[in-house]
Amino acid sequence: MTNPAEKKGQHVNPFFLPYDTPHNTVPFDKITLADYEEAMLEGIRRENEQIEKTINDPEEPTFDNTLIREDEVKGRKHYYDLLSRVETVFFNMLSAETNDEMDALAQKMSPILTKHANDVSLNPKLFKRIKAVHEKHRELTPEENKLLEESYDGFVRSGALLSDTDKDKLRKISEEASMLALQFSQNLLKENKAFTLHITDEKQLGGLPDTVREAAATTAKEQGRKGWVITLDQPSYGPFMTYSNERKLREQLYMARATMGIRNNNENNLAVCQRLINLRREMAQLLGYDTYADYVMKYRMAANVENVYRLLDNLIDAYKPTAIKERAEIETLARKHEGNDFQLMPWDIAYYAHKLKLEKYNLDPETLRPYFELSNVIKGVFGLATRLYGITFKENNNIPTYHPDVKPYEVFDKDGTYLAVLYVDFFPRKGKRDGAWMTEYQGQRITKEGENIRPHASLVMNFSKPTTEKPALLRLSEVETFLHEFGHSLHGMFANSRFESQSGTNVWWDFVELPSQFMENFAVEKDFLRTFAFHYQTGEPMPDELIDKIIAGRNFQVATACLRQVSFGLLDMAYYTQKNEFKADIMPFEKKAWAKAIIGKQLDNTCMTTQFSHIMAGGYAAGYYSYKWAEVLDADAFSLFKKNGIFDKATAQSFRDNILAKGNTEHPMTLYKRFRGQEPTIDALLERNGIKNKQGGKQ
C-alpha cells in the first residue's frame, strides 16, 4: 500500500506526516484547501482499516485489544489518528477563518463524515466485541471502567441495539441533522457579515465616545469607505446601542440583529430550526426516550427535566421581583428625559441603563477602557494563573498560526516543565463568527508507554480592535469574557487523564461551565485589578475610586441579566421537551415559551431562535440551562476562595487537582464535593448577586 505522504516532487499533504513544528503544533502555514478533503478521505480509509483489524482479531475481545487498540504502526506514528486531526483543524477554521470555498467544502464533506461516523457506531461486529468486553473483562481502574461504560453506552445511544430498519432511519436523521446544523451556522455568519450601518454625517455620531468613533472609522477605512461603519459584531454593536443619541439608528441596528434568520432571503433559518427540533425528537424517540431532553439528561448533573425546570423556576421566583424594580428604574429615568408619554423599546434599554448607572454610581464604562489595554490585560490574566497555580506563559512565534492576529504561547508548569500550547485570537474579521469560545487542536492523553501528550488549546474572541489612534482598549465585559474563556483553557491545559475522551473539557455539559464562570469572579476583585489595570498612556494604576465604583456597581441590573439567561433556558427546554411533531410557528411559540421570564413588551417581528447557535448548532440543545446550573457551582466554589483568600495557593491547588485535572474520570458531583467538602447550594449565588443577605433575608 502506498502512503500518500510518499509522493515525490510535489506538494505533500502536511496532515499525512508528523508535524515538524514546535510541540507538533498544526502547520497552518503549509495547509492548502485541497489538503482537507484528501486527508479526510484518507483518514476515513485508515480508520476503516483499523476497525477491520479490530473486528477480525481472532483473540477473545478484551479491554486492551478492543477499547484501546494500538493506534500506532511502527515507523508510521500518527498514521491512524489522521481523521481526528484533520477534522479538528477544518471545523475550527469554519468558525475562526472561513471563506466561501471552505463553506462549500464543508457542505460536500459533512454528509460523508456523518455517514462514516454512523458506519462506526452502527457496526454490529464492533459493537459485539465491545458488548463482550462489557459483560466480561479483567479488573479495571476507575478510569478504564468509566471509558468502558461510556463507550458501550455510546454505541447504544447511537443505535447499536436498533433493528436494521430503525438503524437506517437513524442514519438518515443524523445525516440530515448534521447538514442542517452546518447550514444554520453558515446562514447566520452570512447574515451577520452582510449588514453594516454606514454613517457619513458626523452629526449622527452624537453620544459616541472617541473609542467607538475611532473604531467605526477604522472599520470604514478597512472596507474602503468614507465616514464610519457600525457592524453587528459585539465590539461595534454593543457600544453603539449603549451610547448613541440617535434613536432611529439604534432601532435600525437592533432590528438588523434581532431579525437575523427570519428575512425573506436564502439565509432564512426558520424552517432549518423547525426541522432540527423534529429530527432530534425523532432520534430520541427511536432510541426509547420520550423527548430529546430526556435523552440528553442521562449524562447531566441535573439528571432529569424536572430538576432543570425546578432550577429555572427557583431563579425566576428569586430574581423576578428585583428585575421588575430594575426595569421600572430605567423607565422612570427614560421618561424623566423624554416625557411621560415615552414608550421604552428594546433599542432603548442599553442606552438608558447606561445613563442610570452613571446616575447611581457615577461610573461610565468608557472611563475604564484606558486601564484595560489588551497587552496589560493579557499580563493580568496570565499573571493570575501564575499566582494561583505557578504556571508561566512564553510567546513563541515559531509556532505557526492561521492568521496574523493569533498569538501562540508555550505554557510551562510551576516546576518549569512544558504544560501546553495556547493560541489567543482576539479580534473580529470577515471569516470569523461572532462570540467567544475555547477549543482545542490537540487533546491531552497518556500513551501506553507513559508519555503524557499535552494539549493545544485555543481562545477565540471578538474584542475591541486597535485603531490608528489607540491600541486595543477593552471594556470590562470583555475582560470578563477573556477570564471566562481562559477558565475553559485552564480546564484543558491542566488535564491529566489517561484517555483523551475523558480529558479536560470533555465533561458533562452542566459541569463544563464551572471552571470558566469561576474565573469571571476575579474581574471585580480589587486585589486582582491592582495587578494589571494601568493607564495605557501614563502607567498610573486604576484609582481606588474607580475600583470601588466597579465593585459597588457589580450587581447593577443583575436580576435582569439572570432572567435573560433563564429565558433562553426556558426556550431551549420548550423546544426539546416536545413529544409530538413540532408544527408551531416559531416566532409566536418563542414568545410564549419564555414569557414568564420576560420583563417588558415583546416585539412580534423579531426572533432569537433563528440565531440561537448554542442550541441549534453548538451542542447546547436541551443544555442551555447549564450556564445557570454552573453559576450556582461557581459562586459556591469562589466563596471558599473568598474565605481563604482569593490568591490562596492551597485552595487553588485543590481546585486544580480535584476539578481542572480530572476531566470526566469521575462523576462531577464527586469531584466537586472532594474540592468543596459539601454539595453546592444556591445561597452563595443569591448573596453574591445581592438578592439575599448573609443572614438569609431577601434584600
Side-chain angles (χ1 to χ4, degrees):
M1 180 180 62
T2 301
N3 184 348
E6 294 169 356
K7 298 174 183 177
K8 304 292 184 182
Q10 63 188 66
H11 171 77
V12 176
N13 192 318
F15 289 113
F16 291 153
L17 294 171
Y19 299 153
D20 185 20
T21 52
H23 308 296
N24 290 312
T25 47
V26 178
F28 292 106
D29 53 334
K30 296 179 181 177
I31 298 171
T32 67
L33 181 68
D35 291 331
Y36 288 115
E37 181 175 356
E38 182 184 35
M40 282 188 269
L41 293 174
E42 173 63 13
I44 289 171
R45 189 196 66 77
R46 293 183 187 182
E47 198 160 278
N48 287 336
E49 178 183 271
Q50 183 186 27
I51 289 168
E52 284 300 309
K53 285 185 177 181
T54 300
I55 63 179
N56 293 319
D57 189 338
E59 297 290 328
E60 181 182 353
T62 67
F63 182 86
D64 300 276
N65 70 19
T66 301
L67 270 294
I68 53 170
R69 191 174 184 89
E70 180 76 59
D71 64 356
E72 295 180 1
V73 175
K74 188 176 180 181
R76 300 174 78 175
K77 191 174 181 182
H78 301 302
Y79 185 79
Y80 284 120
D81 67 347
L82 172 62
L83 184 59
S84 64
R85 290 192 295 138
V86 65
E87 280 191 288
T88 295
V89 177
F90 181 73
F91 286 104
N92 279 335
M93 289 301 95
L94 278 184
S95 294
E97 187 62 12
T98 194
N99 52 46
D100 290 343
E101 292 77 15
M102 287 281 286
D103 287 350
L105 182 58
Q107 292 280 352
K108 178 181 180 181
M109 293 305 300
S110 185
I112 296 172
L113 293 168
T114 304
K115 179 183 181 302
H116 171 67
N118 283 332
D119 288 344
V120 175
S121 61
L122 294 173
N123 186 312
K125 292 181 180 179
L126 185 57
F127 178 64
K128 183 178 179 181
R129 287 186 68 92
I130 290 173
K131 185 172 183 287
V133 178
H134 188 254
E135 292 171 352
K136 180 184 177 183
H137 52 77
R138 63 170 169 80
E139 186 174 348
L140 303 176
T141 67
E143 279 185 77
E144 290 174 335
N145 191 64
K146 203 165 196 301
L147 178 68
L148 175 58
E149 289 297 325
E150 293 193 357
S151 296
Y152 173 79
D153 203 41
F155 272 82
V156 172
R157 287 166 66 81
S158 296
L161 297 179
L162 295 178
S163 68
D164 288 344
T165 300
D166 284 345
K167 283 180 181 178
D168 287 340
K169 287 181 184 177
L170 193 64
R171 278 179 178 274
K172 291 175 182 176
I173 288 170
S174 62
E175 288 173 13
E176 185 181 353
S178 176
M179 286 299 296
L180 286 174
L182 176 63
Q183 183 183 340
F184 177 96
S185 297
Q186 291 180 344
N187 286 348
L188 188 57
L189 179 61
K190 289 174 184 175
E191 283 275 81
N192 178 284
K193 300 304 179 183
F195 176 86
T196 55
L197 175 60
H198 185 203
I199 297 173
T200 54
D201 183 355
E202 190 170 3
K203 292 178 183 177
Q204 292 187 312
L205 302 179
L208 298 182
D210 288 344
T211 53
V212 181
R213 294 182 182 217
E214 290 162 7
T218 298
T219 301
K221 188 175 181 181
E222 290 172 349
Q223 295 183 3
R225 298 182 179 187
K226 294 182 179 180
W228 302 265
V229 167
I230 305 297
T231 72
L232 297 182
D233 291 328
Q234 190 56 37
S236 180
Y237 175 88
F240 190 89
M241 297 301 294
T242 300
Y243 292 102
S244 174
N245 294 334
E246 298 290 323
R247 193 182 190 215
K248 288 188 180 299
L249 292 185
R250 293 202 312 268
E251 179 182 0
Q252 182 182 345
L253 197 64
Y254 176 88
M255 291 304 296
R257 190 169 175 122
T259 55
M260 288 195 299
I262 61 172
R263 302 184 186 106
N264 186 23
N265 58 22
N266 291 332
E267 284 73 52
N268 188 295
N269 269 336
L270 284 167
V272 173
C273 292
Q274 187 172 65
R275 185 63 180 148
L276 275 170
I277 293 162
N278 279 316
L279 286 171
R280 288 167 181 158
R281 174 190 56 77
E282 289 174 28
M283 183 270 286
Q285 290 176 347
L286 261 181
L287 294 169
Y289 296 87
D290 287 342
T291 70
Y292 184 74
D294 292 319
Y295 168 80
V296 164
M297 287 301 148
K298 179 165 184 181
Y299 289 108
R300 297 292 186 268
M301 292 182 76
N304 56 57
V305 169
E306 290 73 23
N307 287 338
V308 173
Y309 276 116
R310 185 176 298 113
L311 170 70
L312 298 177
D313 288 342
N314 285 344
L315 290 170
I316 291 172
D317 290 344
Y319 285 82
K320 192 168 185 177
T322 303
I324 291 170
K325 293 177 184 177
E326 291 173 349
R327 176 73 176 214
E329 280 189 298
I330 292 177
E331 289 181 335
T332 298
L333 181 67
R335 286 173 181 158
K336 179 180 171 184
H337 282 265
E338 308 292 345
N340 290 332
D341 294 333
F342 182 76
Q343 294 296 311
L344 192 73
M345 299 298 288
W347 46 86
D348 301 317
I349 301 295
Y351 181 74
Y352 287 105
H354 163 64
K355 291 187 178 298
L356 180 63
K357 193 169 188 178
L358 267 177
E359 186 177 278
K360 292 184 75 168
Y361 304 105
N362 191 25
L363 179 62
D364 182 346
E366 284 297 305
T367 62
L368 305 177
R369 274 194 195 254
Y371 298 96
F372 293 143
E373 192 271 320
L374 179 57
S375 65
N376 281 339
V377 177
I378 293 171
K379 290 175 185 175
V381 173
F382 287 0
L384 175 59
T386 303
R387 194 160 180 180
L388 289 173
Y389 306 110
I391 63 175
T392 53
F393 301 78
K394 181 181 179 183
E395 190 170 353
N396 183 348
N397 291 317
N398 291 321
I399 295 174
T401 62
Y402 55 85
H403 190 277
D405 283 351
V406 181
K407 292 179 178 291
Y409 292 87
E410 294 172 295
V411 187
F412 299 95
D413 213 336
K414 57 186 174 183
D415 62 359
T417 58
Y418 163 69
L419 184 69
V421 167
L422 177 66
Y423 303 93
V424 287
D425 179 359
F426 289 110
F427 306 122
R429 55 180 173 269
K430 183 179 179 181
K432 184 179 182 181
R433 70 174 172 86
D434 198 17
W437 61 96
M438 172 265 179
T439 187
E440 286 184 331
Y441 290 94
Q442 176 173 287
Q444 179 272 335
R445 71 184 190 280
I446 300 173
T447 67
K448 70 171 189 173
E449 291 83 11
E451 181 186 3
N452 198 324
I453 305 297
R454 300 308 305 163
H456 302 163
S458 180
L459 306 182
V460 191
M461 294 161 282
N462 284 275
F463 287 167
S464 302
K465 297 171 66 173
T467 67
T468 52
E469 291 82 13
K470 292 185 178 72
L473 302 176
L474 305 190
R475 291 170 283 136
L476 178 60
S477 62
E478 292 174 319
V479 176
E480 290 172 334
T481 297
F482 191 172
L483 285 164
H484 179 104
E485 301 306 335
F486 185 67
H488 281 310
S489 76
L490 289 175
H491 202 180
M493 293 189 296
F494 283 142
N496 198 33
S497 305
R498 182 178 169 192
F499 305 114
E500 186 173 349
S501 62
Q502 298 176 350
S503 171
T505 57
N506 292 311
V507 298
W508 291 10
W509 218 241
D510 45 10
F511 193 60
V512 75
E513 296 297 336
L514 166 60
S516 53
Q517 293 180 183
F518 166 82
M519 290 297 289
E520 291 184 49
N521 287 279
F522 288 94
V524 292
E525 289 292 330
K526 182 176 289 189
D527 288 342
F528 172 57
L529 290 168
R530 283 173 172 161
T531 66
F532 74 95
F534 302 106
H535 197 284
Y536 79 101
Q537 289 174 313
T538 67
E540 292 294 314
M542 182 181 285
D544 281 352
E545 177 189 4
L546 267 184
I547 295 178
D548 289 341
K549 288 178 181 178
I550 291 173
I551 296 169
R554 70 174 297 179
N555 285 330
F556 178 72
Q557 294 285 301
V558 70
T560 300
C562 175
L563 286 195
R564 180 176 182 270
Q565 289 292 90
V566 169
S567 72
F568 294 162
L570 289 171
L571 179 62
D572 174 33
M573 294 305 289
Y575 286 133
Y576 294 114
T577 53
Q578 295 291 314
K579 293 183 179 180
N580 302 311
E581 183 181 359
F582 180 70
K583 298 179 179 179
D585 186 336
I586 277 179
M587 291 167 68
F589 181 89
E590 171 182 288
K591 306 299 185 290
K592 183 178 179 181
W594 63 18
K596 63 182 176 181
I598 297 295
I599 305 294
K601 182 183 177 182
Q602 300 193 60
L603 301 182
D604 292 335
N605 57 336
T606 62
C607 191
M608 172 65 184
T609 303
T610 51
Q611 54 186 291
F612 202 172
S613 293
H614 279 75
I615 70 166
M616 291 297 160
Y620 278 81
Y624 197 83
Y625 76 91
S626 300
Y627 285 101
K628 299 312 293 183
W629 186 278
E631 196 171 355
V632 172
L633 298 176
D634 92 66
D636 187 73
F638 196 70
S639 69
L640 187 61
F641 278 80
K642 293 286 283 185
K643 177 183 176 182
N644 297 338
I646 65 167
F647 300 124
D648 183 65
K649 287 181 169 58
T651 309
Q653 189 64 42
S654 175
F655 193 69
R656 173 178 176 172
D657 292 342
N658 293 306
I659 304 291
L660 301 177
K662 290 294 186 181
N664 190 34
T665 56
E666 296 182 70
H667 192 287
M669 188 57 78
T670 301
L671 298 177
Y672 187 82
K673 286 165 65 177
R674 196 174 294 147
F675 160 70
R676 188 66 176 87
Q678 62 187 45
E679 291 196 5
T681 70
I682 200 172
D683 294 345
L685 176 62
L686 297 178
E687 289 170 15
R688 184 178 73 186
N689 290 164
I691 302 298
K692 179 180 178 182
N693 61 33
K694 291 184 179 180
Q695 285 70 46
K698 289 188 177 181
Q699 294 182 325

